[in-house]
Amino acid sequence: MNRILTILVPITAFLSFSSCSQTKEAPADQNTSETEFKAFIEHYLDTYWELNPGYAIYVGNHQYDSVLQIPDGATRQWKLEQLAILGDSLATFDESALPPNLRTDYWMMRDQISSDIWYINEYKSFEWNPAYYNVGGGIGMLLNDRNLETAEKVMNISGRLKNVPAYYEAALSGIKDPTLEHTELALLQNEGTLGILSGALKDTIEAANIDDELRKETLDLTDNAIASIDSYLSVLRTMVSEKKGGEWRSFRLGEQLYTEKFSHDIQSRFTAQEMYNKALERKDKLQTEMASIARELWAKYMEDQPMPDDDVFVIRSVIDAISIQHVHRDSFMIAIEKQIPELEKFVTEKDLIYLDPEKPLVVRKTPSYMEGSGAGASISSPGPYDKFADTYYNVSPLTNYSEEQAESYLREYNHYILQILNIHEAIPGHYTQLVYSNNSPSLIKSIFGNGAMVEGWAVYSELMMLENGYGEDEPEMWLMYYKWHLRSVCNTILDYSVHVLGMSEEEAMDLLTRQAFQEEAEAAGKWRRVRLSQVQLTSYFTGFHEIYGLREELRQKQGDAFSLRDFHEEFLSYGSAPVKYIYRLMTEE
Ligand code: ZN
Ligand code: ZN
């Protein structure tokens, strides 16, 4: 397998970099050339895709469409060696000689290398997460790619299918100590893959404009792949039925791995535990605010009913009463479309940030190949290798919902929350950040963009809009905003509590439904998600907290000279780098 990869990838600048890799301890000899650093970035990315061909297709890089890497020990060993060489080469550059945008690229590559090594040596999900193994994602991407001819798709997929038997053999020998939750996830997801192979893939092969020999060969390869997945699934099923008891590895990551994963994934100035404590503090503050607004609104919505002492009950009742204000199911999409220019107008009038009129956001119905992700609205941006494509705001019309489902959904995304959602997803949230990010051209930041920075910006922009008078300070708007914001805060509390502190399902449901006012169904979905993922749920509040903190620190320091618009534009000009690095660049002057 490794040999196939090496043949496919031209060994470009590789030798010249590794030949001067032993100069770590001698900064005087360090390379200060910007041109050579830029060449190194290219070399780094070439190597990255060579090591991780499975990710390439997800960012629009089609170089490895026909490659399926075998996830075995030899591949991991080879990756570790290549990562060590890359790290040594990177260390030959003098970071202090680089301009800010390249310096952040330097830091991000260094972090990525150490994260990649950590994932192989410490996290080891290949030993405990059977859902780590699944060939369906890449094949599904290829089948759905509207820019590829069918014949080309079939040829690329055929290349992948050849390795499927070896792939699942590596899976079976790699799995040592699985969790029940990830085993069940693997069953579900690989069954989905079986469905794709025996359905859409076979149909595509039958219909493709290819010669009959290739058609037969590819159909045979598909059958072999189906047989391999079947036997993988039957081993997992046997595992589930035979060891029902307590022999499974716990889905809880535990303090050490969790703390390390937090530092690799989030790249915060704070530790996981510090963020947990800040989230607890924030939750108390939000609940106090909510109680006081709800009490103020009680008479308006509850008429003659006496107001009880129980804060939780008061907040819940007022929220329920306000949620009745929502658009009709048929105008959901139109309501979103109409709000975009209003948000633009507000941002421009208040001089909050420059919006580029040349890069309009296109609101569209979620395309059918993206349906099923569950989200009602999402931003779909062009991949870094395809950046001139349009940016879409995908909205799922509620056509498939029953009357009750639609009503419950519309109450959740009521008059107030829908506006906050649009701020978060579109303006000045994700979409605006994306436009700025594309203006600071850095493949490193597009590919390894920091999730906490990206989500943090969207969460920050909600509060920033309200602080500047969006929603005209209506108490209803603030109450609904606090409920929405409490969700991000409780995500952090939940994640840390479950993985480090051993929080039970009952305690988790109490946190989400009683203390954060979520519906039963939403909370149940969150409980499922927190057992399958770790750390990602903390990115929203952590990013928010760091951005807000940076802004307040600069406001203090600059006094009357502080400009909110300048702050926003400078902050976003660094691209999707971790907030701690933007902090360093904006405070060290
Ligand atoms: Zn209604
Ligand atoms: Zn978001």
Side-chain angles (χ1 to χ4, degrees), residues 324 326 407 411:
I324 293 171
H326 60 72
E407 178 61 23
R411 283 189 188 200

Side-chain angles (χ1 to χ4, degrees), residues 111-112 114-116 118-119 259-267 450:
D111 295 343
Q112 188 63 40
S114 94
S115 169
D116 288 345
W118 181 83
Y119 270 87
T259 303
E260 291 171 6
K261 188 170 198 280
F262 181 89
S263 73
H264 285 295
D265 292 1
I266 302 288
Q267 296 291 340
N450 180 264

Side-chain angles (χ1 to χ4, degrees), residues 424-425 430 454-455 458 540:
H424 179 105
E425 295 292 339
H430 286 317
V454 171
E455 284 305 337
Y540 309 85

Side-chain angles (χ1 to χ4, degrees), residues 168 172 226-236:
Y168 283 100
L172 287 173
I226 289 174
S228 301
I229 299 171
D230 264 333
S231 66
Y232 182 58
L233 287 172
S234 82
V235 172
L236 297 184

Side-chain angles (χ1 to χ4, degrees), residues 460 463-464 467 543-553:
Y460 162 78
L463 178 57
M464 186 276 288
E467 283 176 334
F544 161 81
H545 179 81
E546 291 198 83
I547 297 170
Y548 198 85
L550 169 60
R551 185 190 83 180
E552 292 310 292
E553 193 178 320

Side-chain angles (χ1 to χ4, degrees), residues 11 126 132 148 152 171 180 208-209 214 216 251 294 418 498 574:
I11 308 174
F126 49 86
Y132 174 88
L148 286 181
E152 203 183 341
L180 174 60
N209 184 18
L214 178 61
K216 181 170 181 317
F251 63 84
L418 191 58
V498 166
Y574 297 107

